[in-house]
């Protein structure tokens, strides 16, 4: 089953990006005014959610409160020419909400195992842990090859 | 940094900078061997050039459109041709390296030279690149030398070099090339001496021809061959060659010439000379500490050593050495002419005869055992011709490519595939068939009554003129309901054909193709670059390229017919098995047949597997943008029609995008209806790409597994400029 094998390859590539990249570009908007920001993230093993932390005073936080739909871009660029053929980019799209009690207990240890230096930041009362429930991913590789992966609820 | 270094200034430690061939020449010269004056454009110049012009990344991007291992040889050809064009159109050497130009003007202002490759990877103990990279003999004038240096650089990326390097697991990103510019010695007799025979370690082998050595190296001139004893230098045997022609110089480049009677009568070397060369080869073996393959020439009685390289551990007659096949992809004009002759006079008639002979056997009259044996017999015939296909037909396809290279060299077009317009033409059977279809469609467009009758299924009332066309078409091309190849068992009447004609008549007459006038102008523009006698050679080359294109189509059809014969026997066996459970044959035959049918069954399962969507736990994969290679410029949007079986073809609707595994020449009657073509098989010189260009359709080839990912009805955008297929509407993601 060629397709089955390819699916496994794509999913491994996605997992690899989500595990090894530290930062993602978060894209939000405020009544049509776009905004992009870097966030430190971690992702669920089943690839259905991605979490990041932000201060409640930030523009991204207020944007997400008003419009939870957002996109996250995670990529393996190295700022070299070879990026055009070797870099991969994963765009995750979905709705973002602040983590509830249960999520906090489950996600914070994962988040801190990836970003231990952010312990003070993430545990500060002024900081919110946000979780994107991913609806779909676009995986781009070899410059133009794009696969869409839909996440069923 | 020095961009050009004379041979006598090279040092032992310069190997990574000047390559194996150059260092060997330097070492021979230092030990008193007589070698021609030479200089080296080192690897650093190559690196500087490709970095400065941004070529490095462009080359690597060409080669990373998809995994190199997944690229078919035709796709590698194409990438290689595009890369070659990048070098041709890049800045002149003199612009980037004034020092090189000044040096060449000083040393070789009018002296004819040989421009040779000297890659650091080549000619090592482990790998021999002999013949893989280019050498150009009899290059005159600084402009021409500079241009040929770039062509040698480009040969680092020739199809055979890419494939061979892949075989050796060498990283393309690390490949580089030095170039030797060496005074041409116009030898009267030349050859190669192997200090040790690949087969018998106590013997050596010497080959010699009249004229230039390139004739022997390229396989155009057959050599006399001597075997000598390494101990005594005594000649053990001599095998004379026909000596009917030899290679000599043109004003620029080389040509074969008929041999005068004295050459036919006398071998190129006397016994004493054989001994001397044998002795020199052993001396060279001592210099390098391993057996050598040494090229030499004799001019005005003086012996020159042109190059020497190790006989590699995988060289010679070792079956594991795939270099021979890769080299067979790179043929000279003379060689291709001989091959054409053999294909036209021997192989194609042989294939037709075999297909006819197989078809003469009435399968229904065979008992089970005979049927079983017939399946194996047909399978053997198919295997035999499949081997011929690889050994002879594929290398002959190089005729198109050789023409393309010459065209690009003289025309330097923006589009490296401009030359394709000169290959396609009305002589193609598939084009003629489409013209017959269009004649019928045209009648329907002009006659509303006829359209009504045909729509109502009353084609028998369609009038004599139309029926004559229908009958003529079916007589020649079948009724379009048959399997693509074979076409022996279906006789369903003209309904499918009529449906296709009605569909064609729905739209205006296709504005087809590259107007003949433009083709003629292009042809004349090309031929006018060759003055005098050279024009005749250019005409011959174009003729060869056209034959190469036509024969590549024909061989597919003929091979398909043989495959169809085998499949007919297999389906007869399947029919009997379905009817009575098993064939009445001895157990060993039963077992062999089961294995055979299982292998065949697996193939069809793979091919018939359709949808790209797969069940997963919570993740569903679907394509959004698929990358292939741009094979026909233009952009279109339309619903996909995925061709998995013949019946899909006759359902084709105007404006749909033809999506298939590989466009077969017999499939192209739907092309006038299509808005674009997408196929899994890659290449610019494959049938789908050429027919798309003829009809001015956007075309993307080489899209991996496209018929698995795309379903009939999917909305597709085909970008034939960039080779990208987008699945779904623009707003859908």
């Amino acid at each position: 089953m060629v397709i089955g094998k390819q699916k496994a390859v794509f999913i491994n590539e996605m997992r690899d990006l989500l595990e090894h990249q530290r930062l993602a570009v978060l894209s939000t908007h405020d009544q049509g005014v776009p905004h992009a920001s870097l966030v430190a993230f971690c992702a669920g093993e089943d690839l259905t959610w991605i979490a990041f932390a932000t201060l409640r005073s930030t523009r991204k936080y207020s944007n997400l409160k008003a419009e939870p739909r957002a996109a996250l871009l995670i990529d393996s660029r190295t700022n070299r020419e070879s990026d055009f053929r070797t870099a991969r980019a994963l765009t995750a799209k979905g709705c973002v909400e602040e983590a509830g009690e249960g999520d906090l207990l489950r996600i914070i240890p994962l988040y801190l195992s990836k970003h231990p230096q952010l312990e003070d930041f993430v545990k500060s009362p002024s900081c919110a842990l946000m979780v994107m429930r991913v609806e779909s991913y676009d995986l781009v590789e070899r410059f133009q090859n794009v696969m869409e992966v839909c996440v069923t609820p | 940094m020095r961009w050009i270094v004379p041979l006598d200034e090279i040092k032992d430690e310069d190997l990574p900078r000047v390559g194996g061939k150059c260092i060997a020449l330097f070492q021979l010269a230092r030990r008193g061997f007589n070698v021609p004056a030479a200089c080296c454009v080192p690897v650093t110049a190559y690196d500087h050039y490709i970095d400065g012009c941004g070529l490095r990344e462009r080359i690597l991007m060409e080669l990373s459109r998809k995994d190199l291992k997944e690229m078919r040889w035709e796709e590698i050809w194409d990438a290689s041709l595009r890369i070659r064009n990048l070098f041709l159109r890049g800045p002149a050497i003199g612009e980037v390296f004034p020092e090189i130009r000044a040096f060449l003007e000083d040393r070789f202002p009018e002296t004819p030279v040989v421009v040779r490759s000297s890659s650091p990877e080549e000619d090592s103990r482990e790998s021999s690149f002999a013949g893989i990279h280019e050498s150009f003999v009899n290059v005159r004038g600084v402009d021409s030398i500079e241009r040929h240096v770039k062509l040698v650089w480009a040969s680092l990326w020739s199809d055979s070099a890419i494939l061979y390097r892949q075989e050796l697991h060498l990283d393309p990103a690390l490949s580089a090339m030095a170039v030797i510019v060496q005074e041409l010695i116009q030898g009267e007799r030349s050859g190669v001496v192997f200090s040790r025979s690949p087969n018998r370690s106590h013997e050596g082998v010497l080959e010699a021809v009249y004229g230039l050595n390139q004739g022997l190296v390229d396989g155009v001139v057959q050599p006399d061959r001597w075997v000598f004893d390494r101990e005594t230098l005594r000649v053990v045997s001599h095998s004379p060659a026909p000596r009917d022609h030899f290679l000599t110089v043109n004003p620029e480049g080389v040509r074969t010439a008929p041999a005068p009677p004295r050459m036919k009568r006398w071998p190129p070397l006397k016994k004493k000379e054989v001994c001397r060369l044998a002795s020199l080869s052993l001396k060279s073996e001592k210099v390098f500490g391993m057996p050598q393959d040494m090229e030499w020439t004799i001019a005005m009685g003086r012996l020159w050593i042109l190059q020497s390289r190790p006989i590699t551990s995988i060289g010679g007659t070792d079956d594991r050495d795939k270099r021979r096949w890769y080299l067979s992809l790179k043929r000279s004009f003379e060689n291709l002419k001989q091959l054409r002759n053999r294909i036209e006079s021997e192989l194609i008639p042989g294939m037709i005869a075999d297909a006819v002979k197989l078809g003469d056997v009435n399968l229904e009259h065979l008992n089970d055992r005979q049927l079983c044996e017939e399946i194996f017999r047909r399978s053997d015939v198919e295997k035999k011709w499949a081997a011929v296909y690889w050994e002879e037909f594929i290398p002959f396809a190089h005729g198109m490519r050789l023409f393309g290279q010459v065209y690009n060299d003289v025309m330097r077009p923006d589009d490296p595939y401009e030359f394709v317009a000169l290959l396609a033409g009305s002589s193609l059977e598939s084009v003629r068939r489409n013209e017959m279809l269009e004649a019928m469609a045209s009648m329907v467009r002009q006659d509303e009554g006829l359209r009504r009758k045909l729509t109502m299924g009353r084609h028998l009332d369609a009038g004599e003129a139309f029926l004559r066309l229908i009958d003529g078409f079916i007589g020649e091309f079948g009724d379009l309901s048959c399997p693509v190849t074979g076409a022996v068992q279906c006789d369903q009447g003209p309904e499918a054909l009529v449906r296709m004609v009605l569909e064609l008549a729905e739209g205006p007459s296709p504005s087809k193709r590259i107007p003949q006038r433009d083709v003629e102008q292009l042809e004349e523009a090309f031929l006018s670059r060759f003055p005098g006698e050279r024009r005749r050679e250019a005409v011959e080359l174009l003729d060869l390229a056209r034959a190469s294109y036509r024969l590549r189509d024909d061989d597919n059809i003929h091979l398909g017919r043989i495959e169809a014969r085998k499949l007919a026997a297999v389906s007869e066996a399947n029919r009997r098995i379905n009817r009575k459970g098993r064939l009445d044959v001895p157990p060993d035959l039963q077992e062999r047949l089961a294995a055979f049918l299982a292998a065949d069954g697996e193939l069809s399962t793979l091919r018939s597997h359709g949808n790209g969507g797969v069940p997963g736990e919570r993740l569903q994969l679907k394509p959004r943008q698929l990358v292939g290679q741009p094979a026909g410029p233009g952009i279109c949007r339309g619903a996909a029609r995925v061709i998995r079986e013949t019946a899909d073809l006759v359902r084709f609707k105007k404006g749909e995008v033809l999506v298939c595994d590989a466009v077969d020449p017999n499939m192209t009657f739907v092309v006038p209806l299509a808005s674009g073509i997408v196929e899994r098989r890659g290449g610019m010189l494959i049938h789908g790409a050429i027919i798309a260009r003829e009809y001015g359709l956007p075309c993307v080839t080489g899209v991996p597994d496209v018929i698995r990912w795309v379903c009939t009805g999917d909305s597709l955008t085909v970008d034939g400029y960039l080779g990208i297929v987008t699945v779904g509407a623009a707003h859908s993601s």
Side-chain angles (χ1 to χ4, degrees):
Chain A
M1 286 284 289
V2 174
I3 297 291
K5 264 189 211 158
Q6 283 180 345
K7 179 180 174 183
V9 169
F10 285 123
I11 289 174
N12 278 340
E13 286 171 0
M14 287 164 55
R15 186 164 281 132
D16 184 61
L17 278 170
L18 290 166
E19 272 178 20
H20 293 104
Q21 296 300 318
R22 293 168 189 282
L23 297 175
V25 177
L26 170 71
S27 151
T28 59
H29 75 97
D30 174 18
Q31 295 180 351
V33 179
H35 180 63
S37 37
L38 275 181
V39 293
F41 73 93
C42 73
E45 176 70 15
D46 62 357
L47 313 187
T48 60
W49 58 266
I50 300 174
F52 56 91
T54 178
L55 295 179
R56 291 195 178 79
S57 56
T58 58
R59 191 176 300 160
K60 53 182 161 303
Y61 182 83
S62 59
N63 283 0
L64 288 169
K65 281 287 167 189
E67 169 56 271
R69 283 177 302 167
L72 279 165
L73 174 76
I74 299 128
D75 69 284
S76 61
R77 161 173 58 123
T78 55
N79 203 24
R80 293 193 192 116
E81 273 187 44
S82 56
D83 285 341
F84 289 97
R85 59 194 157 83
T86 57
R88 292 196 177 97
L90 183 67
T91 304
K93 289 170 282 188
C95 283
V96 181
E97 57 188 25
E98 195 165 344
E101 290 261 327
D103 276 347
L104 280 174
L105 287 174
R106 189 164 56 96
I107 295 174
I108 284 195
L110 273 175
Y111 189 86
L112 287 178
S113 68
K114 189 170 176 186
H115 307 287
Q117 73 283 21
L118 295 182
E119 184 163 9
D120 292 346
F121 176 74
V122 84
K123 289 186 172 167
S124 157
S126 55
C127 186
L129 187 73
M130 310 298 286
V131 181
M132 172 183 276
R133 307 288 169 198
V134 182
E135 287 158 16
S136 71
Y137 290 100
D138 289 331
L139 176 66
V140 184
E141 55 175 6
R142 293 182 194 278
F143 187 45
Q144 289 284 357
N145 219 44
V146 189
M147 279 289 153
E148 190 176 358
V149 180
C150 294
V151 181
T152 51
Chain B
M1 182 72 71
R2 293 190 64 188
W3 303 122
I4 189 156
V5 189
L7 195 61
D8 50 13
E9 291 179 26
I10 287 169
K11 300 181 191 66
D12 284 323
E13 61 270 26
D14 283 339
L15 174 63
R17 203 161 67 96
V18 300
K21 208 179 282 177
C22 195
I23 215 86
L25 272 177
F26 153 73
Q27 287 171 339
L28 287 172
R30 196 174 57 178
R31 285 168 174 84
F33 286 74
N34 186 34
V35 301
C39 58
C40 176
V41 178
V43 166
T44 40
Y46 170 85
D47 283 335
H48 183 76
Y49 184 87
I50 63 164
D51 285 333
C53 312
L55 280 185
R56 188 183 297 278
E57 273 306 313
R58 290 185 73 179
I59 291 168
L60 294 175
M61 275 187 82
E62 272 296 346
L63 296 178
S64 60
R65 281 177 173 272
K66 58 183 173 190
D67 190 336
L68 206 54
K69 287 195 265 322
E70 285 175 23
M71 281 199 198
R72 302 174 65 244
W73 54 275
E74 279 153 318
E75 293 172 84
I76 294 183
W77 269 16
D78 292 331
S80 155
L81 190 70
R82 283 194 286 266
I83 292 171
R84 192 174 186 277
N85 229 38
L86 292 176
F87 278 97
L88 274 175
R89 291 170 62 82
I93 299 271
E95 282 173 36
V96 184
F97 306 106
E99 179 197 341
I100 294 183
R101 188 167 183 89
F103 184 95
L104 293 174
E105 276 168 347
D106 181 48
R107 296 287 177 102
F108 304 112
E110 289 303 324
T111 322
V113 298
V114 182
V115 184
R116 292 184 193 277
S117 67
S118 182
S119 159
E121 289 165 335
E122 73 184 23
D123 299 346
S124 66
R125 191 189 299 261
E126 294 77 24
S127 63
S128 168
F129 275 71
I132 293 276
H133 298 136
E134 294 282 5
S135 286
F136 297 95
V137 178
N138 191 22
V139 180
R140 289 166 191 254
V142 174
D143 286 343
S144 187
I145 297 175
E146 285 187 357
R147 198 165 58 83
H148 284 90
V149 168
K150 285 205 291 180
L151 288 177
V152 172
W153 283 347
S155 75
L156 189 59
W157 305 103
S158 72
D159 48 342
S160 45
I162 293 169
L163 285 163
Y164 187 53
R165 228 176 285 126
Q166 190 184 0
E167 182 85 16
L168 299 177
H169 305 290
L170 297 173
D171 181 355
L174 301 177
S175 298
M177 175 79 92
V179 181
I180 302 171
V181 181
Q182 185 182 43
E183 186 186 344
L184 170 66
I185 307 297
Q186 296 183 34
E188 300 94 29
R189 297 171 292 156
S190 315
V192 181
V193 55
F194 299 87
S195 66
R196 193 170 75 188
S197 158
N199 306 321
R200 298 163 73 90
S201 59
H202 63 285
E203 290 174 349
V205 178
L206 172 61
E207 293 179 338
V209 293
Y210 280 107
L212 300 174
N213 208 28
Q214 204 66 21
L216 190 165
V217 173
D218 286 348
V220 176
V221 183
Q222 235 180 300
D224 274 54
R225 188 179 160 96
W226 289 265
V227 174
F228 59 86
D229 186 294
R230 281 164 53 91
E231 278 286 318
T232 61
L233 300 184
R234 204 172 45 83
V235 171
V236 176
S237 65
H238 170 216
S239 317
R243 293 182 224 121
D244 42 15
H245 51 283
F246 69 108
L247 200 77
T248 184
V249 291
N250 253 351
E252 181 157 72
V254 292
R255 68 182 166 91
T256 50
R262 68 174 173 81
M263 289 187 186
K264 291 188 180 174
R265 195 171 319 125
W266 304 108
L269 293 177
K270 297 191 179 96
K271 265 194 184 163
K272 213 165 70 181
E273 291 170 317
V274 173
C275 270
R276 187 179 168 210
L277 279 158
S279 156
L280 263 186
S281 75
L282 294 175
K283 202 173 143 196
S284 151
E285 184 174 310
K286 280 207 184 91
V287 169
F288 296 105
M290 64 186 93
Q292 293 292 297
D293 140 6
M294 196 168 80
E295 288 184 27
W296 52 270
T297 195
I298 297 172
M300 316 272 284
R302 191 168 179 199
L303 175 65
W304 297 82
I305 304 304
L306 304 176
Q307 62 179 40
S308 184
R309 61 180 154 234
I311 298 172
T312 58
S313 52
I314 60 160
T317 55
D318 193 320
D319 285 344
R320 288 166 300 168
D321 183 10
K322 299 273 195 320
R323 190 163 50 95
R324 193 181 67 80
W325 193 81
Y326 298 139
L327 278 173
S328 77
L329 295 175
K330 203 181 79 158
R331 302 252 176 160
S332 68
F333 180 55
E334 291 298 329
N335 196 303
L336 285 165
K337 274 206 300 198
Q338 289 166 12
L339 190 55
R340 174 184 184 176
N341 192 26
R342 181 169 147 73
I343 288 175
E344 284 180 339
S345 64
E346 213 178 294
L347 298 175
I348 295 281
M351 276 177 105
I352 293 171
D354 271 3
V356 169
K357 223 184 293 169
L358 294 180
D360 283 345
V361 177
N362 188 329
L363 297 168
E364 288 175 16
H365 292 170
L366 302 180
N367 65 32
D368 286 359
R369 189 191 180 114
Q370 286 167 329
L371 177 62
C372 236
E373 279 157 2
E374 184 64 14
I375 289 175
F376 299 135
R377 182 171 83 95
R378 292 183 177 202
S379 172
D380 289 343
V381 172
E382 187 201 5
K383 277 186 204 146
K384 177 185 91 178
W385 285 111
V388 170
Y389 178 86
W390 278 94
E391 289 291 324
E392 317 252 5
F393 295 162
I394 287 182
F396 185 62
H398 188 63
M400 294 185 266
R401 184 90 189 297
L402 181 68
F403 172 72
Q405 285 188 5
V406 172
Y407 185 91
N408 287 349
D409 285 358
V410 298
M411 304 293 280
R412 309 225 186 144
D414 289 340
D415 172 8
Y417 284 90
E418 187 176 272
F419 72 89
V420 174
L422 294 183
L423 301 183
S426 56
S427 56
L428 289 178
E429 286 293 282
S430 48
V431 170
R432 200 165 61 79
R433 179 191 51 201
N434 287 5
E435 284 167 355
M436 286 175 80
L437 277 172
E438 174 49 30
M440 289 185 268
S442 170
M443 282 182 77
V444 174
R445 273 188 215 108
Q446 288 161 25
D447 183 346
E448 192 46 44
L450 175 60
R451 183 198 299 269
R452 259 201 311 277
K453 282 178 196 159
L454 294 178
T455 311
M456 291 160 71
R458 290 168 47 206
H459 59 265
L460 290 175
D461 303 335
E464 200 186 325
F466 187 81
L467 285 177
R468 219 177 16 246
L469 284 180
I470 287 267
D471 286 345
F473 185 93
I474 292 177
E476 266 200 83
F477 297 109
D479 61 12
L480 300 185
S481 68
C482 300
V484 174
T485 51
V488 285
Q489 287 177 337
C490 41
D491 180 19
Q492 300 173 359
E495 286 79 10
L497 172 58
V498 168
R499 204 158 49 237
M500 182 57 54
V501 169
L502 282 169
E503 194 64 36
L504 266 175
E506 279 299 301
S509 173
S511 59
K512 194 195 139 192
R513 324 166 358 189
I514 312 154
Q516 188 57 28
R517 200 183 56 250
D518 290 1
V519 174
E520 282 162 12
Q521 280 171 1
L522 205 60
E523 183 172 333
E524 188 46 41
F526 167 69
L527 294 176
S528 66
R529 304 290 177 103
F530 298 88
E533 178 60 12
R534 292 188 60 212
R535 184 180 170 104
R536 192 184 53 79
E537 290 168 12
V539 169
E540 268 189 46
L541 177 62
L542 177 55
D543 183 54
L544 180 91
R546 285 176 172 156
S548 158
Y549 170 60
R550 275 197 309 274
L551 287 170
R552 284 289 290 125
D553 245 21
D554 290 353
D555 62 28
N556 276 316
I557 293 174
H558 298 311
L559 192 61
R561 284 197 180 119
I562 287 174
E563 187 193 12
R565 302 284 191 233
K566 183 198 76 182
L567 292 177
V570 169
S571 51
E572 174 64 17
N574 274 328
R575 201 175 54 78
R576 292 185 195 183
I577 291 168
N578 287 340
R579 201 180 59 218
K580 52 187 189 180
R582 62 189 294 275
L583 292 184
D584 188 16
V585 291
D588 60 325
L589 213 52
Q590 187 81 42
E591 210 171 293
R592 204 174 144 206
L593 183 69
F596 186 88
L597 295 180
D600 196 57
E602 190 183 9
L603 192 69
S604 50
T605 312
L606 271 175
R607 281 187 186 150
S608 64
H609 177 77
N611 198 333
V614 284
E617 283 166 39
R618 292 183 62 184
L619 305 172
Q620 292 285 327
L621 197 63
K622 62 178 184 175
R624 170 65 183 154
Q625 206 165 266
L626 300 168
V627 178
Q629 55 176 311
I635 190 157
C636 75
R637 182 172 292 168
R641 172 68 62 181
V642 181
I643 307 301
R644 295 201 172 88
E645 53 187 42
T646 317
D648 295 322
L649 281 168
V650 291
R651 291 187 199 110
F652 207 97
K653 296 269 182 300
K654 192 155 182 64
E656 288 181 333
V657 176
L658 172 64
V659 179
C660 60
D661 190 66
V663 173
D664 185 289
N666 290 318
M667 209 189 252
T668 49
F669 62 87
V670 298
V671 168
L673 292 173
S675 59
I677 298 177
V678 178
E679 69 171 292
R680 192 260 325 154
R681 186 171 64 160
M684 286 289 298
L685 296 176
I686 57 175
H687 193 79
I690 292 186
I691 205 86
R693 280 184 166 233
E694 280 234 358
Y695 283 87
L697 298 180
C699 177
V700 178
T701 64
V703 181
D705 293 312
V706 67
I707 67 163
R708 297 165 196 266
W709 289 119
V710 175
C711 298
T712 290
D714 280 352
S715 168
L716 296 188
T717 305
V718 182
D719 183 340
Y721 297 111
L722 293 172
I724 294 171
V725 180
T726 307
V727 187
H731 59 269
S732 73
S733 69

